[in-house]
Amino acid sequence: MKIKNLLITSIFLFSLMLFVGCASTAGSSTVANVPDPTNGEPQWWLNMKGPAYQVLIYSFADSDGDGYGDFQGLISKLDYLNDGNPETSTDLGVELLWLSPIHPAASYHGYDVKDYMAVNPKYGTMADFDQLIAECAKRNIKVILDLVFNHSSTSHPWFEDMLANPTSKYRNYYIHKDNSINYGTGGMGSFYTAYGEEGKIEYFGAFSPTMPDLNCANPAVKKEFVKIMKFWLERGVAGFRFDAAKHIFDQNELPNGTANMTLNKDFWVELREAAKKIKPNVFFIGEVLNKQIPSIGPYAPGFDSLWDFATEDILAASVGSGSTASLLRTLKRNVDGLPKYDDFVPSYLLSNHDMDRSMSVILSKCGVHNTDGLAVAAGDPVETVEAKKTALTRAKTAASLCHTLPGLPWIYYGEEIGITGIRHANNDISRRDSMIWTKDRKDSPKWQNKNQMVRGQNDLTLSVQEQEADPNSLLNHYKNLSVLRASSEVIRKGSYKASTWPGYGGASMMAFFRVLEKEDGTEESVFVVHSTSNIQEKRAVPEGKAVTLLWSSLPGKKASEEKLNQIILEPGESAVFNVIEL
């Protein structure tokens, strides 16, 4: 078995050398005059003034009334994300847009790709996609695509040719069972059976029998990957989100005892190197879905960012329940545990398409039905009305925490208006409910089978139109957070430092410093404070220091140069203060 493991590793390393070398010969998309919203800026993700935003095209905006969201629908809503004018505060200030899979696929969600270099016709044409890239560039929005390199669909021509042709060149594009190998355990998936011209074929799939894993140790497969990346990068895409990054070499597909994390990390390092030969400032972010920082961090050399799923796992739940006494310690441990590379930025989120939406988590923790929505319904008892008020306050606090941590904050579409969604009927459709633009919901996609949704889901979730008119809405809170990020370099780039000020580390008030080291050797600090109390809270500023208000989550509470020796926060208020040495 040691000889087999050594052989696998040797073949893998040799193929990686071929992988990097093929970047210069990959096919061209032949698109002329493609706009570049990055303006060639190296490591532009370190300097972003706005948040990042995840969109499921099919659930975002429907332009033609066929029930599916599409590219033109998204184009029509771009000013909502970013109107291109940095002087306005009426948009979300989004500067990075992640499009979940846009390719033709066998399923609604798109993670079983049939053609990596085409767009799903339900979303529009390639010309529509090119227009989207151009319109995003006008607004300083960079676009990244979701690439699923771990597996394809069984409907992909590679897999179909493998079944139809016993001598198919695509046979080794997939992983076939070898009965002489003692396979590992602890990963995902298993070997499945298909029948083709040569008879029985056993292939590996980490997620589903309809999603066969690609053989990522095969140099020919890696050449395909480079060709795919080149195609999209030359169309103006700024980078990629890579699905299932830790399953490229899954324990269950390898001989028992194989160091699969090392194989995975090396794969992503070399893939990133190949992509940078095509576009030097390409952005790589990986989905390493694990709730433990020590299992996420080792992948950092292959990516420019990774999501901190360890923090996501506790943030909304802790804030939603009001049990935040230990949250600061956990946050510090997670922040300190992430790698520190010059070109690496951590990413923070409250939820995504594979998780219960943060509003559902918070509503549940507040004792309210977790999918109806936040609005008060006729006949709601006083207790429910008050619980919904608490849920709104705590949703704002969770967002404030996410957007003031040292890294890149991500918004899952609809999170900013409190859209709900949970795992239901053994699928994730509820978690991917449609965006709600207007009270009449005319522009909202309607592709979902209602039998797969929770009855009454989001009936009480107010639309964008309604929330824009309410200064106290969750949507306007998110816009206010974008104003903070855009105006404060310390919030964008400063490191995290635990608070040592007395009285700020308890269950009712959470605080930490963000500290920016300047080129002249000096430091600039801000003090970030989040109240989780139901009453007004007052805390003294330590002797020899003062603070001035930089930002508050309360509508109408403006920045001030007044030096304060006491911090007063209203229930649920978040605030950022400049720190002054007296």
Side-chain angles (χ1 to χ4, degrees), residues 9-24 216-219 222-223 226 266-267 269-271 273-274 277:
T9 303
S10 300
I11 293 172
F12 174 72
L13 291 175
F14 173 71
S15 66
L16 285 177
M17 291 188 288
L18 295 176
F19 183 26
V20 176
C22 72
S24 62
C216 295
N218 182 347
K222 289 197 277 288
K223 284 185 70 174
V226 174
D266 290 346
F267 171 86
V269 167
E270 298 298 336
L271 182 68
E273 184 177 338
K277 287 178 181 285

Side-chain angles (χ1 to χ4, degrees), residues 424 433 446-455 457:
H424 176 71
D433 202 359
K446 301 173 179 64
W447 61 272
Q448 302 93 336
N449 182 334
K450 291 302 179 182
N451 293 329
Q452 296 174 310
M453 300 287 287
V454 182
R455 185 183 298 275
Q457 179 171 321

Side-chain angles (χ1 to χ4, degrees), residues 315-470:
L315 205 157
S318 297
V319 173
S321 65
S323 302
T324 56
S326 63
L327 181 57
L328 278 177
R329 291 193 299 273
T330 304
L331 287 176
K332 184 179 186 305
R333 184 174 67 246
N334 290 348
V335 169
D336 290 347
L338 284 169
K340 306 295 188 293
Y341 297 113
D342 289 343
D343 59 350
F344 182 86
V345 60
S347 281
Y348 293 96
L349 75 166
L350 295 177
S351 61
N352 67 18
H353 62 289
D354 287 328
M355 305 166 183
D356 286 356
R357 282 188 173 268
S358 56
M359 182 53 72
S360 285
V361 173
I362 291 169
L363 285 169
S364 177
K365 294 294 184 181
C366 291
V368 183
H369 192 280
N370 62 354
T371 57
D372 287 352
L374 264 179
V376 174
D380 272 353
V382 173
E383 296 81 7
T384 300
V385 173
E386 291 304 311
K388 287 182 176 180
K389 289 180 181 179
T390 299
L392 173 59
T393 299
R394 290 177 178 175
K396 291 179 179 179
T397 301
S400 296
L401 267 167
C402 185
H403 285 244
T404 53
L405 289 171
L408 183 59
W410 290 75
I411 303 169
Y412 178 38
Y413 81 97
E415 174 189 302
E416 72 275 16
I417 63 171
I419 284 181
T420 64
I422 60 173
R423 179 77 175 172
H424 176 71
N426 199 34
N427 67 58
D428 292 321
I429 291 177
S430 167
R431 294 164 163 172
R432 303 162 184 175
D433 202 359
S434 297
M435 187 67 175
I436 306 171
W437 295 105
T438 58
K439 189 174 182 179
D440 63 12
R441 310 197 176 199
K442 182 179 178 180
D443 294 339
S444 298
K446 301 173 179 64
W447 61 272
Q448 302 93 336
N449 182 334
K450 291 302 179 182
N451 293 329
Q452 296 174 310
M453 300 287 287
V454 182
R455 185 183 298 275
Q457 179 171 321
N458 284 309
D459 284 355
L460 298 177
T461 299
L462 297 179
S463 66
V464 168
Q465 179 187 50
E466 293 166 290
Q467 293 199 34
E468 284 182 330
D470 178 6

Side-chain angles (χ1 to χ4, degrees), residues 306-317:
L306 294 166
W307 279 285
D308 179 355
F309 290 113
T311 294
E312 172 275 324
D313 190 45
I314 60 167
L315 205 157

Side-chain angles (χ1 to χ4, degrees), residues 162-267:
M162 180 193 73
L163 292 182
N165 183 359
T167 61
S168 172
K169 71 175 185 176
Y170 300 113
R171 175 176 177 80
N172 289 327
Y173 274 40
Y174 296 94
I175 299 165
H176 298 267
K177 188 173 184 179
D178 182 343
N179 289 323
S180 69
I181 292 177
N182 176 29
Y183 288 99
T185 60
M188 283 183 63
S190 59
F191 286 91
Y192 299 98
T193 301
Y195 291 89
E197 288 299 313
E198 64 179 281
K200 179 179 177 182
I201 295 175
E202 291 182 279
Y203 64 92
F204 183 80
F207 292 93
S208 163
T210 62
M211 298 180 183
D213 272 35
L214 289 161
N215 180 6
C216 295
N218 182 347
V221 172
K222 289 197 277 288
K223 284 185 70 174
E224 300 280 7
F225 291 165
V226 174
K227 180 180 176 182
I228 292 163
M229 291 192 300
K230 191 173 193 293
F231 177 86
W232 292 108
L233 290 172
E234 291 184 345
R235 297 198 92 91
V237 169
F240 307 102
R241 177 265 188 185
F242 290 100
D243 183 64
K246 70 176 185 178
H247 295 289
I248 292 295
F249 293 95
D250 192 275
Q251 290 168 292
N252 291 10
E253 71 185 60
L254 297 168
N256 191 36
T258 304
N260 72 306
M261 182 181 284
T262 300
L263 293 177
N264 284 326
K265 183 192 72 172
D266 290 346
F267 171 86

